[in-house]
Amino acid sequence: IIANVTSEEPLYDFVADDGVRQTVWKLTETEPLANAFLSVDALYVADGHHRTESAYRANKALSGSGGGDDQGYVMAGIFPARDLRILAYNRVVKGYEDLTDKDIIDSISRNFSIRETDIKVPQRRGDVCMYLGGKWYELSFVGTLPGDLGPTDIMEPVFGIKDPRTDERIGFVGGARGTDELENLVNRGEARVAFSLYATTMDDLLSVSDMGEIMPPKSTWFEPKLKDGLFIHRI
């Protein structure tokens, strides 16, 4: 169905400011596509959990308000898992000027082996690369990673950051911005230390969901991004 539609003239076709080409086709006969999804066992929300729940709550609040049924729909992009690319969602920590580089390294070394490196992106699950004081370090978790796929946490034991959703001392840097951005933030003094993380795999994401769990906040960064502003619809 998609192949047939995309063989026609697109509705929009342009290269955005970020260099990504955006091409949009309009499908008018939607019933065959809807029927095709009847054989799909499940769809996974890989990004936009909070937006989805907000839309759900808005629908409940607006139902019966006389505003029509528009609020009962939410825009979504659906992709085959094989076509999705997950990048790391890296972290920076702000403040802590009272801690020396040695203080931070000594605290982290309780759970990780640490060595200086030229590597800026971890090569295997369980490893983390850290930028501190103008140097890159490779951190390898000591022991066996949790079997329940739970996250191995540096933030709370080292920096006292218990809730990354609300603590202003932690910042998140999308993987598309690269490790240069991590270095820049630390070198400019806007962050004390930066962590380059191993990208979540698609198997991990699906496994966590199948267990009825949710991923830690800011754990996946998907590329490329859709220009959803093309489809804005006012309620």
Side-chain angles (χ1 to χ4, degrees), residues 34-47:
N35 289 338
F37 273 96
L38 294 176
S39 61
V40 177
D41 293 332
L43 297 176
Y44 294 81
V45 180
D47 188 22

Side-chain angles (χ1 to χ4, degrees), residues 201-218:
T201 67
M202 187 61 64
D203 286 343
D204 282 348
L205 187 149
L206 299 181
S207 294
V208 169
S209 183
D210 287 342
M211 291 189 299
E213 304 289 341
I214 58 173
M215 299 293 292
K218 307 291 186 183

Side-chain angles (χ1 to χ4, degrees), residues 209-228:
S209 183
D210 287 342
M211 291 189 299
E213 304 289 341
I214 58 173
M215 299 293 292
K218 307 291 186 183
S219 55
T220 55
W221 179 275
F222 289 91
E223 286 287 333
K225 299 291 187 184
L226 298 176
K227 293 299 182 188
D228 52 1

Side-chain angles (χ1 to χ4, degrees), residues 105-181:
I105 290 173
D106 287 347
S107 184
I108 292 176
S109 64
R110 296 171 188 168
N111 294 311
F112 290 83
S113 63
I114 303 177
R115 67 178 184 87
E116 284 191 39
T117 182
D118 293 329
I119 298 173
K120 302 179 181 182
V121 177
Q123 303 300 301
R124 62 178 185 173
R125 182 182 174 197
D127 287 356
V128 177
C129 290
M130 175 177 71
Y131 186 69
L132 174 68
K135 299 178 181 178
W136 279 99
Y137 299 86
E138 187 176 49
L139 283 54
S140 295
F141 184 64
V142 178
T144 304
L145 285 174
D148 62 356
L149 299 180
T152 301
D153 199 2
I154 292 175
M155 295 303 166
E156 183 174 353
V158 177
F159 300 105
I161 296 175
K162 296 182 178 181
D163 189 348
R165 295 176 178 83
T166 59
D167 200 309
E168 295 182 353
R169 295 172 294 179
I170 187 172
F172 303 93
V173 182
R177 296 166 66 183
T179 55
D180 287 348
E181 179 67 9

Side-chain angles (χ1 to χ4, degrees), residues 7-29:
S7 67
E8 303 293 334
E9 192 73 17
L11 183 64
Y12 303 119
D13 188 4
F14 64 96
V15 177
D17 292 340
D18 57 7
V20 177
R21 184 178 180 184
Q22 306 277 339
T23 312
V24 179
W25 290 266
K26 182 178 179 179
L27 177 65
T28 54
E29 297 296 328

